[in-house]
């Protein structure tokens, strides 16, 4: 077990008092879960006529969690599913952060939703910039913590920079912060670094989020995943909307997870494409730096991001201009597309002056 250089971690000191005292909504499907087909279901005011979706979905998504647990090698009680990671992240705010009083720490340049969710929930967002290697400034982060700091968001691999944070930096934060450390692993399947999932049992303050939106190719169905201790998952379950993951999403996700080999071959293909794209970008004369990527996008530094963004748009290619982000002056972010799409991008880049 790692040495915790702080007092005993206790999740009950973190949860909002109204959430701790909350009696959750009990749905019809919570009170009686179907076990066979012989029962007559007249408990939920559903319409009895078949449309394939006339019944409420399983509020605990048991089928999907069971399959995810297998491919991720965790047990189902460590999993909470949401309507995209966005809902999962919002639930973390709502469970642990008292509006107008508590604060969270984020590390720009990073995913924009943490800040938006902090604003929506009226939670102070303390920003501690990454260093020039896009790594967390650990001492500065810990210096920013006070008794009302509930969550620290670490996006690794980070969006938009593409790098994974050094393990020792993350461990230092985990071992010296008495709130929750949320590691957003939206891009973990594109990385050769290990997921922090294997460390869940070691760190009671570790929360990991993943998504089916990127490597699994299912941004349209909205399925986000949270992995954490049983205690944390139980708290989040109390406040989630009962039917937050709809039936169509559960079915489509299950089908995709069953076909993990197809997902894996698409990931392998995208990684090949990422390498090809990255090599081709070296030949573009106005690209000054190509940042290494553990994700399905590449961040580059150019001479004039606004100008280059406009020129690509004129050629019908939409990329992300990150120039207004801290430490990201004159950077552009390219998602890795199909071989053909990437060729078009390279072609366009080489033909603008
Ligand atoms: C794309 C992305 C997500 C995905 O969010 P969903 O709501 O699950 O689609 C989460 N975190 C980061 C850092 C991302 O870039």
């Amino acid at each position: 077990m790692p040495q915790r250089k702080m007092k005993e971690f206790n999740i009950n000191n973190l949860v909002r008092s109204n959430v701790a005292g909350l009696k959750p909504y009990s749905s019809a499907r919570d009170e009686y879960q179907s076990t066979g087909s012989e029962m007559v279901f007249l408990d939920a005011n559903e319409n009895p006529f078949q449309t394939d979706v006339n019944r409420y979905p399983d509020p605990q998504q048991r089928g999907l969690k069971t399959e995810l647990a297998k491919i991720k090698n965790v047990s189902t009680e460590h999993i909470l599913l949401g309507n995209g990671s966005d809902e999962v992240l919002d639930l973390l705010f709502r469970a642990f952060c008292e509006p107008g009083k508590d604060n969270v720490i984020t590390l720009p340049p990073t995913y924009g939703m943490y800040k938006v969710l902090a604003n929506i929930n009226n939670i102070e967002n303390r920003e501690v910039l990454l260093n020039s290697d896009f790594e967390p400034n650990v001492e500065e982060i810990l210096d920013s913590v006070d008794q009302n700091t509930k969550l620290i968001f670490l996006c690794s691999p980070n969006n938009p920079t593409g790098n994974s944070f050094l393990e020792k930096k993350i461990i230092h934060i985990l071992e010296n912060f008495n709130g929750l450390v949320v590691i957003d692993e939206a891009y973990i399947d594109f990385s050769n670094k290990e997921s922090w999932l294997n460390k869940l049992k070691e760190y009671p303050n570790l929360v990991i989020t993943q998504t089916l939106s990127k490597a699994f190719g299912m941004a349209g169905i909205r399925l986000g995943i949270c992995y954490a201790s049983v205690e944390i998952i139980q708290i989040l379950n109390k406040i989630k909307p009962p039917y937050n993951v709809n039936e169509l999403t559960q079915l489509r996700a299950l089908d995709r997870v069953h076909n993990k080999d197809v997902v894996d071959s698409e990931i392998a293909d995208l990684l090949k494409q990422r390498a090809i794209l990255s090599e081709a970008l070296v030949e573009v004369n106005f690209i000054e730096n190509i940042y290494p990527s553990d994700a399905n996008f590449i961040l580059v530094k150019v001479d004039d991001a606004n100008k280059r963004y406009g020129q690509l748009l004129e050629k019908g290619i939409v990329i992300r201009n990150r120039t207004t982000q801290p430490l990201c002056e004159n950077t552009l972010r390219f998602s890795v597309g199909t071989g053909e799409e990437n060729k078009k991008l390279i072609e366009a880049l080489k033909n603008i002056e």
Side-chain angles (χ1 to χ4, degrees), residues 29-311:
R29 284 293 163 274
D30 281 323
E31 286 179 12
Y32 189 84
Q33 181 65 27
S34 171
T35 50
S37 54
E38 294 101 273
M39 309 301 284
V40 175
F41 284 101
L42 302 175
D43 58 343
N45 300 344
E46 294 153 336
N47 186 316
F49 300 115
Q50 269 297 329
T51 61
D52 284 344
V53 287
N54 55 313
R55 297 294 176 183
Y56 280 104
D58 175 6
Q60 279 303 321
Q61 311 99 13
R62 290 169 180 81
L64 180 52
K65 277 185 193 166
T66 302
E67 291 308 305
L68 277 171
K70 277 187 212 155
I71 64 166
K72 295 291 180 177
N73 200 22
V74 292
S75 56
T76 54
E77 69 263 34
H78 292 288
I79 304 179
L80 175 120
L81 301 180
N83 185 14
S85 318
D86 293 346
E87 182 183 42
V88 166
L89 296 167
D90 188 52
L91 288 174
L92 289 165
F93 274 95
R94 289 164 57 200
F96 298 106
C97 302
E98 198 62 42
K101 177 177 166 219
D102 287 335
N103 65 75
V104 300
I105 295 176
T106 61
L107 317 181
T110 193
Y111 186 46
M113 272 309 282
Y114 315 134
K115 183 185 200 162
V116 171
L117 289 168
N119 289 337
I120 290 171
N121 287 288
N122 191 21
I123 303 300
E124 182 195 346
N125 175 37
R126 297 189 172 175
E127 301 191 322
V128 180
L129 290 192
L130 296 176
N131 69 21
S132 53
D133 295 326
F134 297 142
E135 291 286 345
N137 275 308
V138 173
E139 288 311 322
E140 213 183 310
I141 291 167
L142 294 175
D143 285 346
S144 306
V145 169
D146 67 15
Q147 74 218 37
N148 293 319
T149 305
K150 298 300 184 71
L151 310 171
I152 297 178
F153 289 94
L154 306 178
C155 186
S156 182
N158 187 40
N159 177 4
T161 58
N163 61 307
S164 306
F165 296 153
L166 290 172
E167 181 176 339
K168 63 175 188 220
K169 302 223 178 216
I170 296 184
I171 287 178
H172 195 90
I173 297 170
L174 277 165
E175 291 185 354
N176 291 280
F177 174 54
N178 234 338
L180 300 183
V181 178
V182 182
I183 305 183
D184 185 338
E185 292 191 336
Y187 299 99
I188 192 66
D189 294 308
F190 298 110
S191 168
N192 55 15
K193 314 275 179 342
E194 227 178 273
S195 164
W196 284 84
L197 264 180
N198 307 324
K199 303 269 183 0
L200 213 50
K201 294 237 164 71
E202 273 173 61
Y203 300 105
N205 58 339
L206 173 60
V207 175
I208 296 154
T209 64
Q210 294 182 355
T211 176
L212 295 199
S213 295
K214 307 286 159 61
F216 281 77
M218 308 203 90
I221 68 169
R222 314 301 304 127
L223 199 282
I225 312 164
C226 175
Y227 305 92
S229 71
V230 174
E231 291 77 16
I232 294 171
I233 295 298
Q234 280 170 349
I235 290 167
L236 298 175
N237 266 319
K238 281 174 81 167
I239 65 166
K240 83 173 183 67
Y243 303 116
N244 62 327
V245 180
N246 73 66
E247 181 71 14
L248 299 175
T249 294
Q250 292 190 40
L251 289 173
R252 289 295 294 271
L254 198 54
D255 187 50
R256 190 75 166 150
V257 171
H258 274 145
N259 290 293
K260 181 66 170 32
D261 49 332
V262 178
V263 175
D264 287 340
S265 80
E266 288 178 9
I267 293 170
D269 189 32
L270 286 169
L271 292 183
K272 229 178 277 166
Q273 289 302 329
R274 183 179 75 193
I276 293 170
L277 181 59
S278 160
E279 239 166 76
L281 291 171
V282 177
E283 310 292 318
V284 179
N285 58 30
F286 57 81
I287 291 182
E288 294 166 4
N289 200 353
I290 304 161
Y291 297 94
S293 172
D294 275 341
N296 65 333
F297 56 81
I298 299 176
L299 188 76
V300 301
K301 196 179 246 337
V302 297
D303 55 348
D304 183 342
N306 292 335
K307 173 177 160 191
R308 302 310 181 185
Y309 177 83
Q311 287 174 318

Side-chain angles (χ1 to χ4, degrees), residues 308-341:
R308 302 310 181 185
Y309 177 83
Q311 287 174 318
L312 283 175
L313 208 52
E314 270 173 34
K315 291 182 175 290
I317 296 176
V318 187
I319 57 155
R320 203 84 202 266
N321 184 355
R322 297 283 75 186
T323 192
T324 59
Q325 300 296 301
L327 310 175
C328 288
E329 199 186 341
N330 281 322
T331 61
L332 301 172
R333 193 192 69 194
F334 308 123
S335 304
V336 177
T338 63
E340 205 167 314
E341 289 171 329

